[in-house]
Amino acid sequence: MYQIEELPDLKVAWHESYKCFNEPLLEYVWEVANQFLPDYAETDTGMIPVESSAPAIFANRYAERNLSVEERYERSKDTFKGTLEEYKKREYRKLDDSFKEKFLTNEDLQNTIEAYKLDVSKFWYLLLFIYDFIEDIGTNAPTLNKSVLEDFSYFHANLLEATNIILKKNNKKSYVIEREDTIRIIQAALQHFVNTYSDIIHSEQDREAMIKQLKEIGLEGFIRNDLSSKISFTDKFSLDISYKKWKFTDMFLFFIERRKATTIPNKKVKVSKDKMMLVSRLIYTVGYDGKRYNEEYDSEGNKNRMLSNLLRRYKNEKFPSVIANNYMVVS
């Protein structure tokens, strides 16, 4: 079996990511983190992307994955100033590396990694990082209320030309609205919602007065120019598995797109060099889908196009606005 070099405990705070620069096992993590999870610094010309804090966050989460809550508290004393009891009340999702053996024993996957001349240890930590980040934004994550308002506006705009509205329950059609006057009532109600919100936040009232008014009409949280006020920490949601596979693929294709596979000398088995197949097998490895994602061909000899077909469904969609619990970014 292949061997993974152990990532040392770097003992760095999240804002000290620069201390991780010289850790070779995080090389691939840095590459993807700076693209998808950059930090930003204010300059005279505006905000510019700078090195991500994500590698330090990931390194700490990896080091803490098998620690007790008391041990994690001792490690966090430099950044967390509360008591142990306060620390225990925080939501915590442990970094999951339970698929390590599945990763190492998948010969087809390992052969492709070798064909791309990738370091198996560095690639393992990249896989862990991407999976941990997606679980961070996709499992019990706070929602951005602003996106809800935008959805209402988008729905209202499309409702102008609608001739019917179909309601579904558990993906099954439960009711169809076809009466024009009923549709116009719904349209007017949504327009009133959007206009009321707009009138309040563009008024000359102070912030507290705005919050009071929004609360009175059920729109608390929609405050302009303040990201934290647009995040609902009480309304949590989990991404559909297809969205997780979408983001997972997006991040891995960025990493692999400029790399080329080569023939492995003395290999007597066929080695896949297909980049989508590589990602598909990684999706199978982390458990986002079953063995069908690990097979290059189906029972009839047809090329596996399942991942390509999934991505085609979302080519005209925008990824949902969500915020990470641990990685402190909006995705």
Side-chain angles (χ1 to χ4, degrees), residues 140-158:
N140 200 30
T143 59
L144 288 177
N145 284 335
K146 181 182 178 183
S147 66
V148 176
L149 184 64
E150 291 170 343
D151 283 344
F152 270 115
S153 298
Y154 181 77
F155 175 59
H156 171 253
N158 281 273

Side-chain angles (χ1 to χ4, degrees), residues 45-233:
T45 57
M47 303 295 286
I48 60 170
V50 295
E51 285 77 11
S52 173
S53 60
I57 295 172
F58 168 72
N60 273 307
R61 284 182 52 73
Y62 181 79
E64 294 172 352
R65 71 196 187 284
N66 295 321
L67 299 183
S68 66
V69 63
E70 290 80 10
E71 290 170 326
R72 293 200 310 272
Y73 173 69
E74 288 299 319
R75 279 178 55 88
S76 69
K77 279 187 173 180
D78 289 339
T79 55
F80 184 80
K81 303 303 180 183
T83 65
L84 174 60
E85 291 307 310
E86 291 172 328
Y87 185 84
K88 287 181 177 180
K89 293 178 181 179
R90 304 196 320 171
E91 291 187 20
Y92 182 78
R93 179 186 55 80
K94 186 178 78 168
L95 183 144
D96 180 11
D97 64 349
S98 61
F99 45 87
K100 184 176 182 179
E101 184 176 356
K102 192 176 179 181
F103 169 79
L104 292 173
T105 56
N106 189 331
E107 287 295 330
D108 290 325
L109 174 59
Q110 291 297 331
N111 285 338
T112 302
I113 292 173
E114 184 179 351
Y116 275 94
K117 297 182 179 179
L118 297 168
D119 182 281
V120 67
S121 293
K122 295 178 184 179
F123 195 73
W124 163 245
Y125 291 113
L126 175 63
L127 176 61
L128 270 187
F129 165 67
I130 291 178
Y131 175 72
D132 192 50
F133 169 66
I134 291 174
E135 287 301 295
D136 208 37
I137 64 172
T139 304
N140 200 30
T143 59
L144 288 177
N145 284 335
K146 181 182 178 183
S147 66
V148 176
L149 184 64
E150 291 170 343
D151 283 344
F152 270 115
S153 298
Y154 181 77
F155 175 59
H156 171 253
N158 281 273
L159 196 62
L160 293 175
E161 299 179 0
T163 56
N164 63 69
I165 301 173
I166 299 175
L167 303 180
K168 291 185 177 182
K169 183 177 181 180
N170 298 326
N171 291 324
K172 294 182 179 180
K173 183 167 65 176
S174 62
Y175 187 69
V176 178
I177 301 171
E178 294 182 331
R179 287 186 53 167
E180 182 178 351
D181 53 353
T182 303
I183 293 174
R184 296 297 168 250
I185 290 172
I186 296 173
Q187 176 191 328
L190 287 175
Q191 185 64 60
H192 177 71
F193 177 95
V194 173
N195 288 346
T196 302
Y197 168 76
S198 180
D199 289 344
I200 292 174
I201 67 167
H202 290 101
S203 66
E204 296 183 356
Q205 305 175 89
D206 60 35
R207 187 173 182 276
E208 292 304 315
M210 288 185 191
I211 293 175
K212 182 180 179 181
Q213 275 193 281
L214 290 172
K215 185 175 182 180
E216 288 172 353
I217 61 174
L219 294 179
E220 183 181 15
F222 296 110
I223 310 298
R224 62 181 176 181
N225 300 326
D226 183 357
L227 177 63
S228 63
S229 69
K230 294 172 184 170
I231 301 170
S232 171
F233 289 96

